[in-house]
Amino acid sequence: MSAALDDAAALAAQLLARRWLPRNHPLVRRALIDTDVWTALGERLSAVGLRVIDNLYADHISLAMLRPAEAAVFGETGLAANNNLDLPRDGVALLVVLWSLIVLPKRQRQVARAEAKEEGQGEFFATDKPVPLASSVSPTISYRSLLADFGNQLGKKMRLDSNLKLLERNGFITRRGEDIAEGPLLDLLLDYDTLAPRILDGALGDVLERSSDPQAAPLIAKMRQPELLPPEEEEEEPLPSLAPAIQKQQQDDSPI
């Protein structure tokens, strides 16, 4: 048990110092498979108002505040704010656009490949659904494409460049020359279950579907297609109405 506590303490310290760690880090891998280490890690972090953020579809883990700690640190005003990283409004809009163009197609590919791999397995392994690494299926976004499609709405080139630097500094994205790729926190700090339906079913989904990005646009369009509805069952013939018969009976029974 002491070894588990030591590993939990070391992992907590590294997460506090580095903000995020890859899932293939030795201590992270140990915590993910060892219940004692994971429990000890959670207890140590909760004692200072923190919790681990882990997402099966992401390649990293990170930390976030517990709700009581958020209220104590940021107050009611901070909790009601759209972010606590001091991102400007157009920076938040850019973050949502990039999340949509990167995470939505990535999740579609991960689920599709996991299901395809499961279909090729025997029944003995039918419950095993390995999820592909995010780094292997996460698309990259062309900077020129992003500027052409959303530059006017997001403050044009100067504001776009400034906000991209902010997002990169905060771990949401990484830059690879002219390409923009997923950062360690992009799929951890934004809630997929809440955000995805609002985007796919909203006006932003129409805009993203028509974007010039050759990777994201077709996948987003596919995700927005309504599922095929099952064939309608033949309606049974309605039972004959009893109203005329009842009315006739009432007339027959009425006094002369």
Side-chain angles (χ1 to χ4, degrees):
M1 188 65 180
S2 60
L5 291 174
D6 292 341
D7 288 341
L11 180 54
Q14 291 208 35
L15 283 170
L16 288 169
R18 302 175 185 273
R19 296 180 57 203
W20 60 77
L21 288 173
R23 290 175 68 92
N24 59 6
H25 186 282
L27 287 175
V28 176
R29 293 177 62 182
R30 171 84 189 280
L32 291 174
I33 62 175
D34 191 322
T35 306
D36 291 337
V37 177
W38 186 260
T39 302
L41 175 64
E43 291 174 351
R44 284 180 175 272
L45 291 172
S46 64
V48 292
L50 296 174
R51 62 184 176 90
V52 179
I53 304 179
D54 177 35
N55 184 341
L56 181 64
Y57 297 95
D59 288 347
H60 297 77
I61 68 170
S62 185
L63 298 177
M65 286 188 178
L66 295 169
R67 286 297 180 186
E70 287 182 357
V73 173
F74 298 111
E76 296 299 326
T77 304
L79 289 178
N82 59 5
N83 71 90
N84 52 31
L85 296 175
D86 294 328
L87 294 175
R89 293 183 62 182
D90 52 0
V92 175
L94 175 60
L95 175 60
V96 173
V97 168
L98 289 174
W99 183 91
S100 305
L101 292 173
I102 295 174
V103 174
L104 287 177
K106 182 195 77 168
R107 189 68 57 90
Q108 175 75 4
R109 289 173 174 173
Q110 285 175 310
V111 172
R113 292 192 186 183
E115 290 176 348
K117 191 169 184 178
E118 184 190 20
E119 290 177 359
Q121 295 173 342
E123 292 186 1
F124 184 77
F125 298 101
T127 58
D128 184 19
K129 298 180 69 174
V131 175
L133 294 175
S135 57
S136 66
V137 293
S138 182
T140 57
I141 305 302
S142 166
Y143 168 78
R144 296 183 182 277
S145 168
L146 181 70
L147 181 61
D149 292 335
F150 302 99
N152 290 334
Q153 294 82 6
L154 297 177
K156 302 199 174 179
K157 188 177 187 305
M158 183 174 295
R159 290 294 301 173
L160 186 69
D161 291 345
S162 175
N163 286 324
L164 283 173
K165 290 180 180 178
L166 281 175
L167 296 182
E168 185 176 17
R169 189 183 310 147
N170 283 289
F172 290 110
I173 62 170
T174 58
R175 302 292 296 272
R176 302 172 183 171
E178 287 289 309
D179 292 331
I180 303 166
E182 177 182 356
L185 301 183
L186 188 64
D187 201 8
L188 285 176
L189 297 189
L190 281 78
D191 187 353
Y192 182 93
D193 293 335
T194 300
L195 202 54
R198 295 181 181 179
I199 291 172
L200 293 174
D201 298 335
L204 182 56
D206 294 331
V207 177
L208 295 171
E209 188 176 339
R210 296 193 301 267
S211 72
S212 61
D213 189 273
Q215 299 182 65
L219 285 171
I220 291 176
K222 182 179 180 181
M223 295 177 71
R224 300 189 75 227
Q225 291 177 356
E227 297 181 0
L228 295 178
L229 299 176
E232 296 183 359
E233 297 181 359
E234 295 184 2
E235 295 184 0
E236 297 182 359
E237 293 185 4
L239 294 174
S241 174
L242 298 178
I246 293 174
Q247 291 175 356
K248 185 176 184 303
Q249 183 66 33
Q250 289 176 344
Q251 290 174 359
D252 293 343
D253 293 342
S254 61
I256 298 176

